[in-house]
Amino acid sequence: MAWQPDRSGLQQIIQLLKESQSPDTATQRAVQEKLEELNKYPDFNNYLIFVLTKLTTEDEPTRSLSGLILKNNVRAHFSKFPQEVIDFIKTECLGSIGDPSPLIRATIGILITTIANKGELTHWPQLLPHLCQRLDSEDYNVCEGAFGALQKICEDSAEILDSDALDRPLNIMIPKFLQFFKHSSPKIRAHAISCVNQFIIGRAQALMVHIDQFIENLFHLANDDDAEVRKNICRALVMLLEVRMDRLLPHMHSIIEYMLLRTQDPDETVALEACEFWLSLAEQPICKEVLSSYMERLVPILVRGMRYSEIDIILLKGDVEEDEMIPDREEDIRPRFHRSKTHHIKHDDGYGDDDDMSDDGLDDDDALSDWNLRKCSAAALDVLANVFREDLLPTLLPILKETLFHQDWEIKESGILVLGAIAEGCMTGMVPHLPELLPYLIGCLSDRKALVRSITCWTLSRYAHWVVQQPHEQYLKPLMTELLKRVLDANKRVQEAACSAFATLEEEACTELVPYLGFILETLVFAFSKYQHKNLLILYDAIGTLADSVGHHLNKPEYIKLLMPPLITKWNILKDEDKDLFPLLECLSSVATALQSGFLPYSEPVYKRCLSLVEQTLNQTIANTNHPDQFEPPDKDFMIVALDLLSGLAEGLEAHIENLVQNSNVLPLLYQCMQDPMPEVRQSSFALLGDLTKATFQHVRPFIGDFMPILGQNLNPEFISVCNNATWAIGEISIKMGESNSGSGISQGQEMKPFIQLVLTQLVQIINRPNTPKTLLENTGARRCETFATTKRRTRHSAACAQ
């Protein structure tokens, strides 16, 4: 006999489900505790599926909520479900796939997919045949419910569906899906295309044998009235561009015409999918050949797509000009990820790092942090500018002339964004226009609209490389002066954009900024008193970049007196578990390296806290390894930033760090870090080892026998940065061994002989490996055969332009 609920128990659960929809947090908390208590009863999940599928008299939100709670239980506790409960849930799901309610059908589809993701596709052999069979039902609800479930399964389990583990069900499913491309219901058509789309990138064989039929069906639906269908067609064509260009090429002109139309679709989600096509096409070798004759039509479309929409402006609070006194919400602050230190030989090639089309130039507010048409249009114009170069300008310059000087600020703002987007690709062609454009843009930094001021900051940063090559009085000084004013702007978005732009200017100008250091530091330090939480994190980056760029020129008493008090105040306020330590420690690492002996008064507490952070993280890792049920794994970024700050101290203080090393356990801790399974930890560990070797080799030397085998094990170019720092550390150790033995009568070769076989074979393999990055080749070649002349040029990448 089928399971039946106890009536009173059922009423209790229904009441609980209704209470859980209460806005009162105390009620929600009580409900959550009760739900956790009920999870101890095996048939609680039977009640949940019963409410979802059988209680049609209940309101739909309550029934759907019951299914979503069950879905969460499946995710968390499925392995503990009794088999009879699993069987009951599966039977109810399949029996109710055609529920009259779209919400309930969708919930059942989500539940089915969640069970399938638990490995149940192999243990639920009737699932896929049953769903495929239900596609043929004359009942629309049944057909749509089955398709909804299949779409979710295809999205989540594409790989296993194309494997022998399930006897390759795609051989049946793909032809079945293709039959529904011409179904009378737009929802069914959209489901069918979406299902097939999941297998394009993986080049599923079952799809490849039907690829011509698939493309033909897509073309048949090109003018479909339904936005979801059009969106899925555009998505399919973008992916096919990547994997089956050979099949699209005969139809390319028709496809381009279609995408020009769809990029202007009244439905923005369709326009966004179509706009992706230009990004993808720009990466294809045939781009210039097939697209040249369409650029006069495409460019204006992309420029129009770069305007803020009305809803964008509302979400960005574009009418709010002064908000610096409004505290940030914690949810507004994005998580930051630390990038570990990498060592390589310094080269002054004249180019700074360029974050192409970074969020600084687009919508960096969380309300618009998702990919949207404005961002996609700007990115497309950027990559196409890199393809067509100056050939783009005859089409673009008249548009720029109209937009840049337009009365409507939204259009003017989009013109400034265009100017930034083409900076890299069209720089040569833009140079004759820059003497006129730069003063105009510097003037726009004082525009009454905050969104205009913020985008202008970003666009100017894209031309910073040209600015620093001109006479200072002409552009650099006016730009620097106005940007620093914007650093202190009353609008938080402008502050952020100005800080980021100024950091780019610092990287490009390097020691050219030395004459203006006092003014720059006064402004940046004053910003500490103005900035809310989010922009403080960006301010740290601007200060760290300044230190990297001007190097030892920062080591003057008046500059140290300005800079260090606010940094140390923040350092003292932040707790060890506060993630705001990440950007602060990164900043201090750069400052310590630049200040050299000037950092000595602050070095001991900073050094000891860094060691404490490393030791805490290592202890937490051991606790989690031994007792994973009791201890959470630690966030190893705390250890990584601490290791990198220790590197900065060693590099800056040089021999002055000896007392700190001598009276600490840094080298045993470093030995543990060097063996960490996380590559970023090892990368920073080897950087610190190299810096300590240079600064205080007498303390490193007793550990060489322990360190060298680990370094040899990490000469794996699959992990480029780890391998890079390991080779660099080996080289520094070799140099110091040679120096320390030069007057002792012991040859360097004898001392290093036990370690040669640990590293030599790997170093030769790295040198002979195709496509090895230049920096790694330099680190490897400089050390191989004991050729050490270039190592004295060794420095951190970010300090490459410091003199």
Side-chain angles (χ1 to χ4, degrees):
M1 184 178 170
W3 179 89
Q4 290 294 320
D6 173 76
R7 182 166 294 185
S8 63
L10 183 61
Q11 288 304 314
Q12 286 181 32
I13 287 172
I14 292 170
Q15 182 61 31
L16 203 60
L17 291 169
K18 291 186 182 298
E19 287 175 1
S20 71
Q21 298 171 59
S22 164
D24 181 61
T25 52
T27 304
Q28 288 179 356
R29 197 177 301 116
V31 168
Q32 191 59 40
E33 290 173 3
K34 185 65 175 172
L35 288 172
E36 288 172 10
E37 182 72 22
L38 288 170
N39 266 319
K40 296 175 183 176
Y41 299 93
D43 66 347
F44 171 53
N45 294 299
N46 284 4
Y47 280 90
L48 293 175
I49 191 69
F50 187 88
V51 173
L52 174 65
T53 60
K54 288 288 194 284
L55 280 194
T56 54
T57 55
E58 278 299 330
D59 62 89
E60 290 179 10
T62 299
R63 291 173 63 196
S64 177
L65 179 60
S66 181
L68 294 175
I69 292 170
L70 176 54
K71 175 209 71 173
N72 292 335
N73 287 349
V74 167
R75 278 185 174 166
H77 311 297
F78 190 70
S79 60
K80 299 175 184 176
F81 282 21
Q83 189 58 48
E84 60 270 20
V85 172
I86 293 173
D87 292 342
F88 182 68
I89 293 170
K90 289 178 177 179
T91 302
E92 288 301 308
C93 283
L94 294 183
S96 303
I97 199 72
D99 192 281
S101 161
L103 176 62
I104 301 304
R105 291 199 302 272
T107 307
I108 291 170
I110 292 168
L111 182 54
I112 287 173
T113 313
T114 308
I115 295 170
N117 284 343
K118 286 294 179 178
E120 287 299 297
L121 272 178
T122 51
H123 298 105
W124 197 355
Q126 66 272 40
L127 173 62
L128 294 174
H130 179 86
L131 292 176
C132 286
Q133 182 188 359
R134 304 305 278 165
L135 295 181
D136 295 323
S137 172
E138 294 183 5
D139 184 334
Y140 167 80
N141 292 335
V142 172
C143 177
E144 195 280 325
F147 240 134
L150 281 166
Q151 181 180 328
K152 294 178 181 71
I153 292 169
C154 291
E155 288 171 0
D156 294 345
S157 308
E159 196 172 324
I160 195 171
L161 290 173
D162 192 31
S163 69
D164 290 327
L166 296 178
D167 200 22
R168 298 200 175 271
L170 279 193
N171 293 335
I172 296 167
M173 293 167 67
I174 294 288
K176 188 84 174 174
F177 295 152
L178 291 174
Q179 294 173 16
F180 287 86
F181 275 43
K182 297 176 183 178
H183 195 276
S184 59
S185 163
K187 187 98 182 260
I188 300 298
R189 295 197 298 274
H191 278 319
I193 304 168
S194 182
C195 283
V196 179
N197 281 357
Q198 308 308 317
F199 305 101
I200 297 175
I201 294 298
R203 293 180 167 88
Q205 186 59 31
L207 174 57
M208 293 302 112
V209 298
H210 294 94
I211 195 70
D212 291 328
Q213 184 188 352
F214 175 46
I215 293 171
E216 184 184 327
N217 282 1
L218 290 175
F219 291 163
H220 175 79
L221 293 172
N223 296 313
D224 201 283
D225 292 335
D226 185 75
E228 192 68 22
V229 171
R230 297 196 303 274
K231 183 174 79 173
N232 287 340
I233 291 169
C234 292
R235 188 173 293 170
L237 290 171
V238 170
M239 290 188 286
L240 286 168
L241 199 61
E242 189 176 324
V243 303
R244 290 310 301 261
M245 172 65 85
D246 59 318
R247 286 297 192 265
L248 293 190
L249 207 48
H251 313 283
M252 187 55 69
H253 292 293
S254 298
I255 292 170
I256 289 172
E257 288 285 358
Y258 178 70
M259 288 301 191
L260 284 168
L261 189 64
R262 292 283 73 86
T263 308
Q264 304 171 80
D265 198 284
D267 187 301
E268 187 171 319
T269 63
V270 178
L272 175 57
E273 290 295 339
C275 196
E276 294 276 1
F277 179 82
W278 314 115
L279 274 172
S280 190
L281 183 59
E283 296 174 1
Q284 305 299 324
I286 59 142
C287 176
K288 199 164 186 176
E289 178 189 340
V290 300
L291 203 52
S292 290
S293 59
Y294 296 95
M295 291 305 288
E296 286 188 12
R297 294 164 60 195
L298 174 58
V299 169
I301 293 169
L302 293 177
V303 171
R304 281 198 298 274
M306 293 163 72
R307 293 178 194 169
Y308 280 124
S309 67
E310 287 183 20
I311 189 69
D312 290 342
I313 294 168
I314 292 168
L315 289 171
L316 286 168
K317 302 181 178 68
D319 57 336
V320 177
E321 296 301 321
E322 296 188 10
D323 61 355
E324 65 176 343
M325 301 304 292
I326 302 171
D328 295 327
R329 300 173 304 165
E330 288 305 305
E331 57 265 32
D332 292 335
I333 301 166
R334 295 182 190 172
R336 291 175 63 94
F337 300 98
H338 175 66
R339 287 190 295 183
S340 301
K341 179 174 176 176
T342 303
H343 275 276
H344 67 72
I345 294 172
K346 168 184 162 183
H347 287 284
D348 188 6
D349 57 10
Y351 290 93
D353 292 342
D354 189 271
D355 297 328
D356 297 327
M357 298 310 299
S358 70
D359 277 349
D360 299 322
L362 304 174
D363 312 314
D364 46 16
D365 188 278
D366 273 357
L368 285 181
S369 61
D370 291 336
W371 192 238
N372 60 24
L373 183 59
R374 170 183 161 90
K375 291 185 178 184
C376 191
S377 299
L381 189 61
D382 182 10
V383 294
L384 289 170
N386 278 282
V387 172
F388 288 90
R389 302 288 175 179
E390 285 66 47
D391 293 343
L392 196 66
L393 293 181
T395 302
L396 195 56
L397 286 176
I399 298 172
L400 270 174
K401 192 172 182 181
E402 180 186 343
T403 55
L404 284 173
F405 302 98
H406 204 281
Q407 292 182 45
D408 293 342
W409 73 265
E410 296 96 332
I411 296 174
K412 175 182 174 181
E413 192 274 348
S414 71
I416 296 171
L417 173 57
V418 169
L419 201 54
I422 63 168
E424 182 183 314
C426 299
M427 179 59 83
T428 303
M430 289 302 297
V431 165
H433 305 281
L434 292 181
E436 181 184 354
L437 282 171
L438 258 293
Y440 170 75
L441 288 173
I442 291 170
C444 289
L445 287 173
S446 302
D447 193 275
R448 64 185 182 83
K449 297 300 293 185
L451 289 174
V452 173
R453 298 198 299 277
S454 64
I455 198 61
T456 304
C457 290
W458 176 77
T459 291
L460 281 164
S461 76
R462 300 272 284 180
Y463 292 93
H465 177 67
W466 181 85
V467 167
V468 299
Q469 294 176 329
Q470 312 309 309
H472 287 202
E473 295 293 330
Q474 202 164 0
Y475 302 113
L476 178 60
K477 279 185 74 174
L479 173 57
M480 182 179 64
T481 303
E482 291 305 313
L483 262 185
L484 288 172
K485 286 180 185 175
R486 297 288 69 79
V487 165
L488 302 179
D489 199 276
N491 181 275
K492 291 191 288 187
R493 182 171 291 101
V494 178
Q495 292 172 0
E496 179 180 1
C499 242
S500 297
F502 197 77
T504 302
L505 186 65
E506 290 167 347
E507 289 175 333
E508 293 289 354
C510 297
T511 52
E512 300 288 321
L513 294 179
V514 170
Y516 317 108
L517 267 177
F519 176 49
I520 293 168
L521 285 171
E522 284 173 6
T523 305
L524 295 180
V525 168
F526 185 70
F528 271 105
S529 64
K530 281 178 71 81
Y531 279 14
Q532 299 294 337
H533 186 183
K534 180 182 177 184
N535 285 350
L536 268 180
L537 308 184
I538 296 157
L539 182 61
Y540 294 146
D541 182 62
I543 291 171
T545 305
L546 179 68
D548 291 336
S549 300
V550 301
H552 66 86
H553 297 285
L554 204 58
N555 187 11
K556 289 189 175 179
E558 61 269 30
Y559 297 159
I560 295 171
K561 190 176 179 182
L562 265 176
L563 180 59
M564 289 308 298
L567 290 176
I568 294 301
T569 299
K570 295 294 181 188
W571 166 269
N572 290 330
I573 289 171
L574 294 175
K575 296 186 170 72
D576 282 355
E577 61 275 11
D578 193 325
K579 293 192 177 184
D580 283 2
L581 272 178
F582 298 166
L584 178 57
L585 265 66
E586 287 173 353
C587 173
L588 281 171
S589 177
S590 297
V591 169
T593 305
L595 291 186
Q596 301 174 341
S597 59
F599 199 80
L600 263 175
Y602 312 96
S603 60
E604 186 172 355
V606 170
Y607 180 87
K608 287 181 176 178
R609 188 172 185 184
C610 286
L611 282 189
S612 174
L613 286 168
V614 171
E615 194 161 13
Q616 286 175 48
T617 309
L618 289 171
N619 290 338
Q620 289 165 8
T621 302
I622 293 168
N624 170 252
T625 303
N626 294 337
H627 305 286
D629 294 339
Q630 297 177 35
F631 297 97
E632 291 288 322
D635 183 342
K636 290 187 179 178
D637 268 0
F638 286 103
M639 179 159 65
I640 294 167
V641 292
L643 289 167
D644 285 351
L645 179 46
L646 289 170
S647 276
L649 286 172
E651 191 173 351
L653 296 177
E654 296 178 328
H656 294 292
I657 202 172
E658 185 188 343
N659 285 339
L660 296 173
V661 173
Q662 185 176 18
N663 297 312
S664 72
N665 61 339
V666 63
L667 291 162
L669 290 176
L670 185 56
Y671 177 69
Q672 288 180 260
C673 294
M674 287 168 62
Q675 299 172 79
D676 196 275
M678 188 174 179
E680 292 82 1
V681 176
R682 301 198 305 277
Q683 177 183 334
S684 292
S685 302
F686 299 146
L688 176 56
L689 174 58
D691 282 319
L692 288 175
T693 298
K694 290 176 72 175
T696 177
F697 182 62
Q698 67 270 34
H699 296 298
V700 174
R701 187 168 189 158
F703 295 87
I704 297 298
D706 296 322
F707 289 162
M708 286 299 288
I710 300 172
L711 290 167
Q713 292 162 15
N714 281 274
L715 297 178
N716 176 5
E718 295 301 318
F719 298 98
I720 289 293
S721 296
V722 177
C723 183
N724 194 57
N725 284 2
T727 57
W728 180 78
I730 290 168
E732 294 301 339
I733 289 169
S734 302
I735 293 170
K736 289 296 183 180
M737 292 286 263
E739 290 173 356
S740 61
N741 290 329
S742 59
S744 66
I746 302 171
S747 75
Q748 180 185 348
Q750 281 181 307
E751 189 105 13
M752 289 298 289
K753 191 172 182 180
F755 310 118
I756 289 174
Q757 291 310 312
L758 291 174
V759 300
L760 188 60
T761 303
Q762 292 96 315
L763 292 176
V764 172
Q765 286 175 351
I766 291 167
I767 287 174
N768 292 327
R769 189 173 184 260
N771 303 319
T772 298
K774 187 179 177 183
T775 53
L776 181 52
L777 279 175
E778 288 168 341
N779 276 343
T780 306
R783 272 77 191 160
R784 194 171 66 91
C785 304
E786 300 173 2
T787 305
F788 304 122
T790 57
T791 54
K792 295 188 188 304
R793 293 185 287 126
R794 180 83 39 205
T795 190
R796 301 169 65 215
H797 168 56
S798 52
C801 41
Q803 298 298 310

